[in-house]
Amino acid sequence: MIYRHCIAPPRAYTQFSHDIIRHPRLSSDAVRLLTWQLSLPQGTRESLSRTAERANIGACAFTRAKRQLKDEGFVHERRVQGPGGHWVTQQLVSNVPLNPAEATKLLARMPVAPPPQVAPSPRNPTVGERTGRLTDGLPYGDTHRNTDNQPPKPPEDAPDAPAPAEAPEAAHASPAPETPQAQVDGEDHEKGRTEPPTPHLEEARALAASYRDLDPALRTIPRAMHAELTDLTARWLAAGHPPSAIRAHILRNLPAGDTRVHRPGGLLRYLLGEVPPVPRPRTPPPQRNAPPHTPQEHPGLSTRLATLRECEGDHVQATLFRPVGDERLCPQCAGTGSAGSADHPSRQPLGAQPAIFGTPPLRPTPKAMR
């Protein structure tokens, strides 16, 4: 059992019909949107989307609630063109369902007010003076190489700039004549590149022309890049790299597989841009305990046996030893070893132990000793 207690509000209230609050086909969001609109003061022009935003109704819930109100006849809207060509959307909200004809008559009485015009805000001017775009043809300098954005040269008929004030001593001194080598260096500096050495220029030109035959991916090298590739190749030759090393460097860095090279000239420019130092030849490390004679004296022996020498003393079998100097006798025959070391070869010093080769003597078996 439920009990209800209601106190009539003395102010700020709105009378609603039970048909709105208990409507079976209106959701709670639609009822709240309708009652919120009907509770607004007379003359308020608040749109339904603004009301849904204030009532914390989401976008999907607002679309569903608005569609339900339009289907039941509580909301009507239309688009009309007002003065000045502006299009305005009119919305009509009522507390009772209306058909389209009744809603059209009510909307026709409402004046169509154009939206207020907003003047553009003042903008700050751009920094600096207005300048024109320089379009005077090709850039200055060599057009066969990659040129960057260089500043335009002043015209020849332009007045010369005032020379800076000179010191009293410099004013009376005569200018030193410029040497031919300084003039050549200045011209090279103005061009922005260093000329390749002349002795390697012809060889570099022939080598650059053969790059097309190294790989099928390099068949489409532009002919306009031949001069640039010649300069790069001449730098490699001047550094001491042979042509075979340059070709091997290019082939080693080409993309593997079926990868297509779209710009072979740019790839060669990248590969030849930096000149590495010439690798030094590797020298074999010195052998430790090298014998006084070279192993070439015995080409049929291994390195280990070639360092041994046969003792010339009185031995039953051939005795090999590793000499320290130019001795011909083993330490046992030369008498340099002690008696204990002669009886036990394992006690002799390392490097002077005799190496006995041959068939060892037969030892009596336990059966023969019986």
Side-chain angles (χ1 to χ4, degrees), residues 166-173:
E166 299 179 354
E169 295 81 6
H172 298 283

Side-chain angles (χ1 to χ4, degrees), residues 9-17 20-21 34-41 95:
R11 60 182 181 83
Y13 64 92
T14 306
Q15 295 181 357
F16 298 105
S17 172
I20 296 178
I21 300 176
L34 179 58
T35 54
W36 192 300
Q37 278 284 334
L38 296 176
S39 64
L40 294 176
N95 60 345

Side-chain angles (χ1 to χ4, degrees), residues 118-151:
V118 179
S121 59
R123 297 182 179 180
N124 296 329
T126 308
V127 179
E129 298 293 336
R130 180 181 300 178
T131 57
R133 182 177 300 178
L134 299 178
T135 55
D136 53 349
L138 297 176
Y140 297 97
D142 188 5
T143 58
H144 295 286
R145 58 186 299 272
N146 187 16
T147 57
D148 50 3
N149 296 330
Q150 301 176 357

